Amino acid sequence: MRCVSHPVRPEDMRASDAEREVVQQLLHRAHAEGSLDLTEFDQRVVATWQAKTRGELAALTADLPQVHPAPRPTPPVKAKKSGGRTALRVLTTIWASVSALNFAIWLLVSILGGEGLVHPWFLWVALPWGSVLGVVWLLVGREPGQR
């Protein structure tokens, strides 16, 4: 036995939950505008969720004035978070500048002091703050989604 396919009319196609939701919104708007009283609204909403086909859904709004469903609110666009990377770049620049200045002063004292190289005291400034900054870069400075 062969199955002969017959063209399906649009009104005979099965309705989806999304289509039922649109009809419910139309009915709600019609009720809010006064085209339906509360009893009619309630009956039609129940019928909306019991409807099987698009034709049954269309019949529920056929006698209503043209109302358009309210646009669904779009989710708010989240502000792009830099993750503090700009602040970290500024802090890194400051740290590198201070460390370079301390190194230059140490080098000048070592060269011009005549005693040879003195204790590398600039490391006491550069290393602790550099270590803290490095850890913060590892925790905060990554691109989103890399954690």
Side-chain angles (χ1 to χ4, degrees), residues 68-87:
H68 302 288
R72 290 188 178 200
T74 57
V77 177
K78 293 182 180 179
K80 182 180 175 186
K81 293 183 178 181
S82 68
R85 288 187 298 274
T86 302

PDB file of all heavy atoms in Angstrom, residues 68-87:
ATOM      1  N   HIS A  68      -1.699  43.899  17.419  1.00  0.00           N
ATOM      2  CA  HIS A  68      -0.396  43.290  17.199  1.00  0.00           C
ATOM      3  C   HIS A  68       0.189  42.890  18.542  1.00  0.00           C
ATOM      4  O   HIS A  68       0.039  43.627  19.518  1.00  0.00           O
ATOM      5  CB  HIS A  68       0.543  44.251  16.480  1.00  0.00           C
ATOM      6  CG  HIS A  68      -0.017  44.693  15.164  1.00  0.00           C
ATOM      7  ND1 HIS A  68      -0.088  43.860  14.084  1.00  0.00           N
ATOM      8  CD2 HIS A  68      -0.557  45.872  14.773  1.00  0.00           C
ATOM      9  CE1 HIS A  68      -0.640  44.507  13.067  1.00  0.00           C
ATOM     10  NE2 HIS A  68      -0.928  45.726  13.467  1.00  0.00           N
ATOM     11  N   PRO A  69       0.836  41.764  18.581  1.00  0.00           N
ATOM     12  CA  PRO A  69       1.415  41.358  19.870  1.00  0.00           C
ATOM     13  C   PRO A  69       2.476  42.351  20.315  1.00  0.00           C
ATOM     14  O   PRO A  69       3.166  42.939  19.498  1.00  0.00           O
ATOM     15  CB  PRO A  69       2.031  39.991  19.571  1.00  0.00           C
ATOM     16  CG  PRO A  69       2.209  39.939  18.099  1.00  0.00           C
ATOM     17  CD  PRO A  69       1.156  40.830  17.513  1.00  0.00           C
ATOM     18  N   ALA A  70       2.522  42.558  21.601  1.00  0.00           N
ATOM     19  CA  ALA A  70       3.540  43.458  22.135  1.00  0.00           C
ATOM     20  C   ALA A  70       4.908  42.854  21.852  1.00  0.00           C
ATOM     21  O   ALA A  70       5.092  41.651  21.970  1.00  0.00           O
ATOM     22  CB  ALA A  70       3.350  43.639  23.636  1.00  0.00           C
ATOM     23  N   PRO A  71       5.841  43.666  21.452  1.00  0.00           N
ATOM     24  CA  PRO A  71       7.166  43.108  21.195  1.00  0.00           C
ATOM     25  C   PRO A  71       7.758  42.543  22.483  1.00  0.00           C
ATOM     26  O   PRO A  71       7.585  43.115  23.550  1.00  0.00           O
ATOM     27  CB  PRO A  71       7.984  44.307  20.697  1.00  0.00           C
ATOM     28  CG  PRO A  71       7.231  45.510  21.149  1.00  0.00           C
ATOM     29  CD  PRO A  71       5.798  45.105  21.270  1.00  0.00           C
ATOM     30  N   ARG A  72       8.361  41.410  22.347  1.00  0.00           N
ATOM     31  CA  ARG A  72       8.980  40.799  23.517  1.00  0.00           C
ATOM     32  C   ARG A  72      10.169  41.646  23.938  1.00  0.00           C
ATOM     33  O   ARG A  72      10.948  42.070  23.082  1.00  0.00           O
ATOM     34  CB  ARG A  72       9.443  39.387  23.215  1.00  0.00           C
ATOM     35  CG  ARG A  72       8.283  38.452  23.023  1.00  0.00           C
ATOM     36  CD  ARG A  72       8.757  37.043  22.907  1.00  0.00           C
ATOM     37  NE  ARG A  72       7.589  36.181  22.773  1.00  0.00           N
ATOM     38  CZ  ARG A  72       7.604  34.909  23.028  1.00  0.00           C
ATOM     39  NH1 ARG A  72       8.710  34.332  23.406  1.00  0.00           N
ATOM     40  NH2 ARG A  72       6.512  34.195  22.890  1.00  0.00           N
ATOM     41  N   PRO A  73      10.283  41.880  25.220  1.00  0.00           N
ATOM     42  CA  PRO A  73      11.425  42.688  25.652  1.00  0.00           C
ATOM     43  C   PRO A  73      12.725  41.941  25.371  1.00  0.00           C
ATOM     44  O   PRO A  73      12.832  40.747  25.624  1.00  0.00           O
ATOM     45  CB  PRO A  73      11.197  42.861  27.157  1.00  0.00           C
ATOM     46  CG  PRO A  73      10.288  41.739  27.539  1.00  0.00           C
ATOM     47  CD  PRO A  73       9.468  41.425  26.323  1.00  0.00           C
ATOM     48  N   THR A  74      13.639  42.666  24.793  1.00  0.00           N
ATOM     49  CA  THR A  74      14.934  42.064  24.537  1.00  0.00           C
ATOM     50  C   THR A  74      15.754  42.124  25.807  1.00  0.00           C
ATOM     51  O   THR A  74      15.640  43.082  26.571  1.00  0.00           O
ATOM     52  CB  THR A  74      15.671  42.804  23.408  1.00  0.00           C
ATOM     53  OG1 THR A  74      15.792  44.187  23.775  1.00  0.00           O
ATOM     54  CG2 THR A  74      14.916  42.689  22.099  1.00  0.00           C
ATOM     55  N   PRO A  75      16.530  41.109  26.045  1.00  0.00           N
ATOM     56  CA  PRO A  75      17.339  41.140  27.261  1.00  0.00           C
ATOM     57  C   PRO A  75      18.309  42.314  27.199  1.00  0.00           C
ATOM     58  O   PRO A  75      18.813  42.652  26.130  1.00  0.00           O
ATOM     59  CB  PRO A  75      18.082  39.798  27.242  1.00  0.00           C
ATOM     60  CG  PRO A  75      17.942  39.275  25.866  1.00  0.00           C
ATOM     61  CD  PRO A  75      16.753  39.933  25.250  1.00  0.00           C
ATOM     62  N   PRO A  76      18.533  42.952  28.329  1.00  0.00           N
ATOM     63  CA  PRO A  76      19.433  44.099  28.315  1.00  0.00           C
ATOM     64  C   PRO A  76      20.835  43.672  27.907  1.00  0.00           C
ATOM     65  O   PRO A  76      21.292  42.588  28.252  1.00  0.00           O
ATOM     66  CB  PRO A  76      19.415  44.603  29.759  1.00  0.00           C
ATOM     67  CG  PRO A  76      18.937  43.451  30.564  1.00  0.00           C
ATOM     68  CD  PRO A  76      18.057  42.635  29.658  1.00  0.00           C
ATOM     69  N   VAL A  77      21.467  44.536  27.144  1.00  0.00           N
ATOM     70  CA  VAL A  77      22.820  44.264  26.705  1.00  0.00           C
ATOM     71  C   VAL A  77      23.755  44.540  27.869  1.00  0.00           C
ATOM     72  O   VAL A  77      23.732  45.625  28.452  1.00  0.00           O
ATOM     73  CB  VAL A  77      23.198  45.155  25.497  1.00  0.00           C
ATOM     74  CG1 VAL A  77      24.629  44.913  25.083  1.00  0.00           C
ATOM     75  CG2 VAL A  77      22.249  44.902  24.346  1.00  0.00           C
ATOM     76  N   LYS A  78      24.516  43.544  28.215  1.00  0.00           N
ATOM     77  CA  LYS A  78      25.434  43.706  29.325  1.00  0.00           C
ATOM     78  C   LYS A  78      26.619  44.538  28.870  1.00  0.00           C
ATOM     79  O   LYS A  78      27.119  44.371  27.762  1.00  0.00           O
ATOM     80  CB  LYS A  78      25.927  42.347  29.825  1.00  0.00           C
ATOM     81  CG  LYS A  78      24.834  41.521  30.449  1.00  0.00           C
ATOM     82  CD  LYS A  78      25.373  40.203  30.963  1.00  0.00           C
ATOM     83  CE  LYS A  78      24.264  39.392  31.590  1.00  0.00           C
ATOM     84  NZ  LYS A  78      24.750  38.103  32.065  1.00  0.00           N
ATOM     85  N   ALA A  79      27.020  45.423  29.744  1.00  0.00           N
ATOM     86  CA  ALA A  79      28.187  46.237  29.435  1.00  0.00           C
ATOM     87  C   ALA A  79      29.408  45.343  29.358  1.00  0.00           C
ATOM     88  O   ALA A  79      29.575  44.425  30.157  1.00  0.00           O
ATOM     89  CB  ALA A  79      28.386  47.306  30.503  1.00  0.00           C
ATOM     90  N   LYS A  80      30.224  45.603  28.383  1.00  0.00           N
ATOM     91  CA  LYS A  80      31.422  44.803  28.223  1.00  0.00           C
ATOM     92  C   LYS A  80      32.359  45.096  29.382  1.00  0.00           C
ATOM     93  O   LYS A  80      32.709  46.238  29.636  1.00  0.00           O
ATOM     94  CB  LYS A  80      32.111  45.141  26.904  1.00  0.00           C
ATOM     95  CG  LYS A  80      33.331  44.318  26.642  1.00  0.00           C
ATOM     96  CD  LYS A  80      33.970  44.683  25.330  1.00  0.00           C
ATOM     97  CE  LYS A  80      35.263  43.908  25.155  1.00  0.00           C
ATOM     98  NZ  LYS A  80      35.976  44.343  23.977  1.00  0.00           N
ATOM     99  N   LYS A  81      32.703  44.035  30.067  1.00  0.00           N
ATOM    100  CA  LYS A  81      33.601  44.195  31.202  1.00  0.00           C
ATOM    101  C   LYS A  81      35.025  44.021  30.712  1.00  0.00           C
ATOM    102  O   LYS A  81      35.350  43.067  30.018  1.00  0.00           O
ATOM    103  CB  LYS A  81      33.299  43.160  32.286  1.00  0.00           C
ATOM    104  CG  LYS A  81      31.949  43.364  32.935  1.00  0.00           C
ATOM    105  CD  LYS A  81      31.749  42.351  34.032  1.00  0.00           C
ATOM    106  CE  LYS A  81      30.416  42.573  34.711  1.00  0.00           C
ATOM    107  NZ  LYS A  81      30.199  41.631  35.790  1.00  0.00           N
ATOM    108  N   SER A  82      35.869  44.951  31.072  1.00  0.00           N
ATOM    109  CA  SER A  82      37.264  44.842  30.675  1.00  0.00           C
ATOM    110  C   SER A  82      38.017  43.941  31.628  1.00  0.00           C
ATOM    111  O   SER A  82      39.157  43.605  31.380  1.00  0.00           O
ATOM    112  CB  SER A  82      37.917  46.223  30.639  1.00  0.00           C
ATOM    113  OG  SER A  82      38.018  46.748  31.951  1.00  0.00           O
ATOM    114  N   GLY A  83      37.379  43.553  32.725  1.00  0.00           N
ATOM    115  CA  GLY A  83      38.045  42.699  33.689  1.00  0.00           C
ATOM    116  C   GLY A  83      39.176  43.415  34.404  1.00  0.00           C
ATOM    117  O   GLY A  83      40.055  42.800  34.976  1.00  0.00           O
ATOM    118  N   GLY A  84      39.169  44.711  34.356  1.00  0.00           N
ATOM    119  CA  GLY A  84      40.212  45.466  35.026  1.00  0.00           C
ATOM    120  C   GLY A  84      41.519  45.499  34.250  1.00  0.00           C
ATOM    121  O   GLY A  84      42.548  45.927  34.776  1.00  0.00           O
ATOM    122  N   ARG A  85      41.484  45.041  32.989  1.00  0.00           N
ATOM    123  CA  ARG A  85      42.728  44.998  32.218  1.00  0.00           C
ATOM    124  C   ARG A  85      43.314  46.378  31.987  1.00  0.00           C
ATOM    125  O   ARG A  85      44.537  46.538  31.995  1.00  0.00           O
ATOM    126  CB  ARG A  85      42.490  44.270  30.895  1.00  0.00           C
ATOM    127  CG  ARG A  85      42.301  42.778  31.087  1.00  0.00           C
ATOM    128  CD  ARG A  85      42.231  42.045  29.767  1.00  0.00           C
ATOM    129  NE  ARG A  85      41.111  42.466  28.955  1.00  0.00           N
ATOM    130  CZ  ARG A  85      39.891  41.974  29.044  1.00  0.00           C
ATOM    131  NH1 ARG A  85      39.625  41.045  29.930  1.00  0.00           N
ATOM    132  NH2 ARG A  85      38.929  42.391  28.262  1.00  0.00           N
ATOM    133  N   THR A  86      42.475  47.378  31.803  1.00  0.00           N
ATOM    134  CA  THR A  86      42.999  48.733  31.611  1.00  0.00           C
ATOM    135  C   THR A  86      43.702  49.209  32.873  1.00  0.00           C
ATOM    136  O   THR A  86      44.811  49.759  32.806  1.00  0.00           O
ATOM    137  CB  THR A  86      41.856  49.698  31.242  1.00  0.00           C
ATOM    138  OG1 THR A  86      41.217  49.210  30.065  1.00  0.00           O
ATOM    139  CG2 THR A  86      42.380  51.098  31.002  1.00  0.00           C
ATOM    140  N   ALA A  87      43.087  48.977  34.025  1.00  0.00           N
ATOM    141  CA  ALA A  87      43.720  49.367  35.293  1.00  0.00           C
ATOM    142  C   ALA A  87      45.020  48.605  35.493  1.00  0.00           C
ATOM    143  O   ALA A  87      46.024  49.175  35.963  1.00  0.00           O
ATOM    144  CB  ALA A  87      42.762  49.126  36.454  1.00  0.00           C
TER     145      ALA A  87
END
